[in-house]
Amino acid sequence: MPVHRRWAALAATVAAVVAALVPAAPADAGQRARTGWTGTWATAQHASYDPGTSEETVRIPVHVSAGGSRVRIRLTNGFTTEPVAIGRATVGLRAGGSTVVKPRELRFGGKTGVTLAADGQVASDAVRLTVPARSDVVVSLYFPGRLSHISQHWYGQQTVYWTPDNGGDHAGDADGSAFTRTDSTFPFLTGVDVRGGDVGGAVVALGDSITDGAASTADTNRRWPDYLAARLSGCTTTAGVLNEGISGNRITAGVDGNASALDRLERDVLSQPNARTVLLFEGVNDLSWGGATADQVIDGMTEIARRAHERGLRIVGATVVPYRGWGDWWTEAKETERQKVNAFVRDSGGVFDAFADFDKAVRDPDDPTRYAAAFDSGDHLHPNDTGMKAFADAIDLTTLGPARGCPSARVRLTPHRPTLRPGTGTKITSTVTNSGPSTVRQVATHLDLPAGWNAMADGGSRVRALAPGASATLTWTVTPATDATWGTRTIAVHTSYLQGVRLRHDSDSEDATVTPVPTRVQAPYLTTATTDDAQFAQNGDHFAIWAGGQDLSGWKDEKAAVYLVDSTPPSATVTARVTGQTGSGPSAKAGIAVANDLTAPGSGGYAVLTMSAQYGPEFMTDSDGDGHLDTWAGGGASYHPAWLKLVRDGTSYTAYASADGTTWQQVGTATVPSADGTGDAGLVASAVNLNYPGQITTAVFDSFSVHQ
């Protein structure tokens, strides 16, 4: 090779390495066109900690917005004073849980590993991978040696999988069995970018805990930016949606690990690949507990808008939501300040290019200082899943910039999380709204129900024409089958319509809870209770328990149980899944129990593993054979459905919990000296209602087994 060509090749290689080590920034439209990358998923790093572990791999599932034919990732080592080494990285489409379809190796400047400098950033080389819009992509990172710190976004609302300490390199595994630990934070990963699709740019949502997804259903991608991405996915030219929310974030001030929106604007918003529009939804923390005035919030919004415009980005402002009832933060004076900010957002005199009226979307018409009950998660600040949808629906897609040819009409189901009983009809409403500028025609709607269910429409399911701004509401009587399985089932609605000459579609769904009614429990199962208000039900291999009870540990043993007598030999595994638990207070418990005799736990061998309503797994044992559960282990996040497993080895018991039945976390281990011979095993529930007199918990289980 001639000398000048060798130098050219060397220069090209050096340039590739440098490009990989420098974070992508959309400085102008020309650069966006040259790079061709668009952000499809992002999060804001804002904290770090020392895990005290070594030689481990993390597997991070993320739900992307826009699709493409090539993908790369971006990593950040912010808020640290030490570098971190990544020995290997892969990316692939999620197969489910922690499994991946054919993980593809990522390279950084042509190398398999990379060292992230303290407070440094790096982008991987491109990988050819067809990424469908709104699919799950999994990024795996292997850390050789000691992992001295983790830079993270701590509130992920998404299960992230880790190998155990010294678990080794499993980044290339398709199978997820090596990933036995979980948490819900996003470590190091700050962005996923695509190119080669039909995406016209990215919309960056700059916000606080509401944008971050607080109070939405975890692991279901029901944050309002997710719902916005779903709406945009129907456009001819789509847009990436990047969630840059941080819990507790403010416009006017920041704290260590949570910089103000102004201070993090460059890092989290303006530097996003192919960012075209900023959607600013902040201010409630400033006005409520932050001590800021309306004028200070308005000044901060104005500065954010000015800086976005200087970089050629559009900016859409969102009104501040009501928060009366959220702790003691609301006052009449603060409400006046909120209304002043919202008046500015609605008529900013050109500061904003457009606005989204989130306040109007969720407020109670009878008391505009509060959330409407249909949208309130219960804490009076954060919306439920339906409230998240309402925010996304309040955004005029034509104001965002990148997307073109978007659908005009959308369909929504109400109520949120309806409760149904087998064989009994319940009213479900579907509403089609035309938010476009022209009439849509031939609107047809139908429900998608579980097998054996029935739906009767109160009126026709077709509408000849729907004018701009008009809605068509249809009420259905939905009746589950008499033998319908209890638990969560999905009710979906689909609508089709003509927008001009093009046939369009939209859909929505709600998680409906099928609740049991008391019935007899069939042999060989038996029941026992130490409360007067216990009831039971059985539907095949599904069970329900209604129980009161002041406590289920220490001084009290008040519970109800469905059990199998003499089913647990000295070497056995008892497993069950709690699909749901309602009623009573935060300490209500449901799970599995073993004892020499469950009708008389004082006979010894007594151990209980439960998922509490709010305080996570709880493993309790009787250490001295007196029938009182006097040892305890567990705690943490509560989740349902929850797999619970109790392994007996003679007098030793080990407890495990899992969110998916595959990846198990050890809750604790204990010795129960009084365990003797073959014992009873069963399902157990207690309301733990000492501070909630008279309340009853309802626990539903969809599996129970005992194996030697």
Side-chain angles (χ1 to χ4, degrees), residues 432-450:
V432 181
T433 302
N434 180 10
S435 57
S438 59
T439 298
V440 298
R441 304 184 185 280
Q442 299 182 26
V443 182
T445 304
H446 71 275
L447 292 184
D448 186 6
L449 302 173

Side-chain angles (χ1 to χ4, degrees), residues 318-398:
T319 49
V320 180
V321 294
Y323 62 92
R324 188 172 188 175
W326 180 50
D328 297 324
W329 296 115
W330 185 91
T331 66
E332 291 282 0
K334 291 178 181 179
E335 177 65 20
T336 299
E337 296 293 280
R338 185 178 77 91
Q339 295 296 343
K340 184 176 180 179
V341 171
N342 285 350
F344 166 77
V345 173
R346 294 183 180 112
D347 185 11
S348 66
V351 171
F352 294 123
D353 298 292
F355 75 92
D357 206 338
F358 285 6
D359 167 51
K360 182 180 178 181
V362 299
R363 70 192 181 203
D364 185 342
D366 298 323
D367 183 358
T369 66
R370 298 179 183 271
Y371 268 83
F375 305 126
D376 192 349
S377 69
D379 68 4
H380 313 303
L381 172 67
H382 300 96
N384 57 25
D385 295 347
T386 298
M388 292 289 186
K389 288 181 197 174
F391 288 155
D393 289 346
I395 299 168
D396 182 351
L397 302 185
T398 64

Side-chain angles (χ1 to χ4, degrees), residues 153-155 157 206-216 223-225 243-250 258 264 281-285 289 321 326 371 379 381-383 388 391:
H153 177 92
W154 72 268
Y155 193 81
Q157 284 290 79
L206 177 58
D208 49 37
S209 58
I210 300 176
T211 298
D212 213 6
S216 67
R223 314 163 189 88
W224 71 260
N243 188 332
E244 295 292 345
I246 298 178
S247 182
N249 201 232
R250 289 177 287 167
N258 197 340
R264 68 187 185 96
F281 179 35
E282 293 217 31
V284 70
N285 292 326
W289 56 267
V321 294
W326 180 50
Y371 268 83
D379 68 4
L381 172 67
H382 300 96
M388 292 289 186
F391 288 155

Side-chain angles (χ1 to χ4, degrees), residues 420 453 484-490 511-516 542 579-580 700:
L420 300 87
W453 291 31
T485 304
W486 308 326
T488 301
R489 297 294 177 269
T490 299
D511 292 336
T513 301
V514 181
T515 60
H542 293 208
T579 60
V700 180

Side-chain angles (χ1 to χ4, degrees), residues 133-220:
R134 300 176 61 222
S135 62
D136 285 350
V137 170
V138 179
V139 175
S140 301
L141 307 173
Y142 163 59
F143 305 99
R146 187 183 186 281
L147 184 57
S148 63
H149 63 276
I150 293 175
S151 180
Q152 63 171 347
H153 177 92
W154 72 268
Y155 193 81
Q157 284 290 79
Q158 169 68 57
T159 299
V160 172
Y161 303 90
W162 290 83
T163 60
D165 188 18
N166 291 308
D169 179 7
H170 292 276
D173 292 7
D175 177 69
S177 60
F179 297 87
T180 58
R181 297 189 296 121
T182 62
D183 64 20
S184 58
T185 68
F186 294 123
F188 298 105
L189 183 66
T190 193
V192 177
D193 307 329
V194 292
R195 69 185 183 196
D198 57 4
V199 60
V203 176
V204 187
L206 177 58
D208 49 37
S209 58
I210 300 176
T211 298
D212 213 6
S216 67
T217 304
D219 286 317
T220 59

